[in-house]
């Protein structure tokens, strides 16, 4: 399964390399160099995927290295350098920043390769270092490099920002896939990881490179018009060939497709808002009907009252004793006991008076 995925990705990268070399511009040395670099990077990645599909591996000493990281180590600096060339026109230097960006790109890929080859805490430490390196590189692309694009004019800034956003999104997918893979979180298997890597490689090294070389034609025309506006002669006027016309038509189709997609999204959002606004009264009426149909709960019965004990009369209270209530039958014994007590008491008094 993994070998089949790698063969498919290799074929897609090879087709992308042929399309880049066929549709890319060669009007100026700078444009020809960029076209050749992008086509060569896609072709190199295709060859490495053929190596992976045939079961070969790359070793650094006794340790095997994931071939994907070798591909990225050789091709991502080309994409970074091309993006830097998009930010500034020919003749303007951005060498210190460019070297720093390329160095950070190589360090990002190398530390991620070490993280994938480790296990346990070491893998997580190297992975975090790779993320920090990627963050520093993105900060340079969004900071000094973007400022250089701003100074070059709004048209070049628009092209640079679009390319930079796409590139950052694509490069963020590689560590995300590595995070989900067997070396770290182990949420996806090796075959799924290989397939996701292949999709991102096709998107970045074939599709995105093709877009960059196609839009380079606009940058060449922009530089020529800027030179003419400043009073200097244009570098060179190149008549439109069949290949240049094909590039222009393809760019127009891409622009139209982008605008059509944006218009469809806006229309969809507007229709969704209207549908939600129209559905609210209907939902409210339905809820009201449900509330009306729902039977009202029966009132709870009042709590039972506590019964008070009946009041007793004074006679009943006097007749009550700890041994029970006195009755008429008890009158004679009580009278006899009372009389005996009186006799005993009087006899005691008589004994005291005798002396």
């Amino acid at each position: 399964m993994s070998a089949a995925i790698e063969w498919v990705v290799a074929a897609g990268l090879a087709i992308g390399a042929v399309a880049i070399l066929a549709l890319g511009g060669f009007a100026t040395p700078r444009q020809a160099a960029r076209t050749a670099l992008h086509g060569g990077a896609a072709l190199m990645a295709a060859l490495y995927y053929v190596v992976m599909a045939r079961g070969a591996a790359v070793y650094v000493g006794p340790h095997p290295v994931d071939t994907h990281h070798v591909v990225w180590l050789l091709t991502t600096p080309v994409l970074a350098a091309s993006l830097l060339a998009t930010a500034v026109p020919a003749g303007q230097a951005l060498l210190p920043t460019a070297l720093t960006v390329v160095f950070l790109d190589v360090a990002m890929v190398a530390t991620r390769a070490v993280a994938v080859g480790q296990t346990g805490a070491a893998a997580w430490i190297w992975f975090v270092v790779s993320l920090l390196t990627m963050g520093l590189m993105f900060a340079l692309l969004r900071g000094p490099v973007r400022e250089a694009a701003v100074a070059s004019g709004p048209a070049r800034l628009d092209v640079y920002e679009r390319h930079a956003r796409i590139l950052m999104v694509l490069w963020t997918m590689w560590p995300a896939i590595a995070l989900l893979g067997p070396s770290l979180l182990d949420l996806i298997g090796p075959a799924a990881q290989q397939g996701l890597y292949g999709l991102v490689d096709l998107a970045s090294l074939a599709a995105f490179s093709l877009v960059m070389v196609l839009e380079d034609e606009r940058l060449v025309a922009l530089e020529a018009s800027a030179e003419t506006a400043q009073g200097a002669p244009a570098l060179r006027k190149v008549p439109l060939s069949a290949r240049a016309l094909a590039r222009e038509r393809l760019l127009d189709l891409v622009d139209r497709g982008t605008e059509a997609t944006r218009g469809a999204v806006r229309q969809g959002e507007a229709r969704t808002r209207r549908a939600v606004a129209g559905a609210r009264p209907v939902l409210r009426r339905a809820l009201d009907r449900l509330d009306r149909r729902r039977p009202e709960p029966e009132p709870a019965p009042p709590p039972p009252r506590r019964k008070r004990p009946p009041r007793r009369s004074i006679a009943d209270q006097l007749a009550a004793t700890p041994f029970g209530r006195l009755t008429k039958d008890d009158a004679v014994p009580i009278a006899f006991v009372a009389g005996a007590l009186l006799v005993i008491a009087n006899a005691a008094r008589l004994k005291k008076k005798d002396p």
Side-chain angles (χ1 to χ4, degrees):
M1 181 65 181
S2 179
I5 294 173
E6 289 161 355
W7 280 113
V8 171
V9 176
L13 289 171
I15 294 172
V18 172
I20 291 168
L21 295 174
L23 299 176
F26 292 89
T28 62
R30 175 175 173 271
Q31 189 183 25
R34 288 184 62 180
T35 302
L37 284 174
H38 281 287
L43 187 59
M44 187 186 307
L47 293 176
Y48 268 97
Y49 265 93
V50 171
V51 171
M52 286 188 286
R54 294 177 63 87
V58 179
Y59 286 84
V60 177
H63 304 287
V65 179
D66 187 6
T67 313
H68 288 97
H69 293 86
V70 179
V71 173
W72 301 330
L73 197 64
L74 297 174
T75 55
T76 54
V78 174
L79 298 179
S82 180
L83 184 63
L84 294 169
T86 302
V88 294
Q92 294 187 14
L94 196 64
L95 186 59
T97 305
L99 292 177
T100 305
V101 170
V102 172
F103 171 77
L104 290 174
D105 174 74
V106 173
M108 172 188 69
V109 177
T111 52
R112 189 164 64 241
V114 175
V116 171
Q118 298 291 328
T119 57
W124 286 101
I125 292 173
W126 283 106
F127 184 74
V128 171
V129 172
S130 175
L131 292 180
L132 293 175
T133 309
M134 184 176 65
L136 291 175
M137 183 181 64
F138 286 175
L140 288 178
L141 294 178
R142 296 299 300 172
V145 181
R146 185 181 181 279
E147 292 176 359
V150 171
S152 300
R156 186 176 290 276
L157 174 63
D158 179 66
V159 176
Y160 168 76
E161 285 188 336
R162 183 164 61 255
H163 290 179
R165 283 195 297 267
I166 297 174
L167 195 65
M168 289 179 187
V169 171
L170 291 174
W171 282 3
T172 306
M173 292 181 182
W174 283 323
I177 298 171
L179 178 64
L180 299 175
S183 300
L184 295 173
L185 294 179
D186 197 14
L187 296 178
I188 58 176
Q193 190 179 41
Q194 295 288 337
L196 293 174
Y197 277 152
L199 289 176
V200 179
D201 288 345
L202 283 173
S204 59
L205 299 175
F208 178 64
S209 295
L210 180 61
V211 172
M212 291 186 76
V213 298
L214 289 175
E215 293 195 347
D216 190 48
E217 188 74 23
R218 296 181 178 179
L219 297 179
V220 172
L222 183 64
E223 291 173 358
S225 62
E227 293 281 346
T228 306
Q230 293 176 359
L235 294 177
R236 185 162 63 173
K237 293 183 179 180
V238 180
L240 291 178
S241 60
R243 186 168 55 188
L245 288 174
R247 287 197 301 270
E248 290 295 329
R249 291 173 182 172
L250 184 58
L251 285 173
D252 291 337
L253 289 176
V254 171
D255 291 340
R256 291 177 184 175
T258 304
E259 292 297 329
T261 304
R262 291 176 180 174
V265 170
R266 287 194 294 268
Q267 291 179 1
E269 291 177 352
R271 291 174 181 174
T272 303
R273 286 194 294 268
R274 289 196 298 268
V276 171
R280 284 177 181 174
V282 178
L283 291 175
R284 288 177 181 173
R285 288 195 295 269
L287 292 175
D288 292 340
R289 292 176 182 175
L290 289 176
D291 292 337
R292 293 172 185 172
R293 293 178 181 178
R294 187 178 301 170
E296 295 183 359
E298 297 181 358
R305 295 182 179 181
R306 297 179 62 183
K307 295 182 179 180
R308 295 181 180 180
R311 293 183 178 180
R312 294 184 297 177
S313 63
I314 297 176
D316 292 337
Q317 293 178 7
L318 293 175
T321 66
F323 307 101
R325 190 172 180 275
L326 298 176
T327 61
K328 295 179 180 180
D329 298 334
D330 298 327
V332 174
I334 290 173
F336 177 76
V337 171
L341 292 175
L342 288 174
V343 170
I344 294 171
N346 291 326
R349 289 179 184 178
L350 291 173
K351 286 181 181 179
K352 289 180 181 180
K353 293 179 180 181
D354 287 340

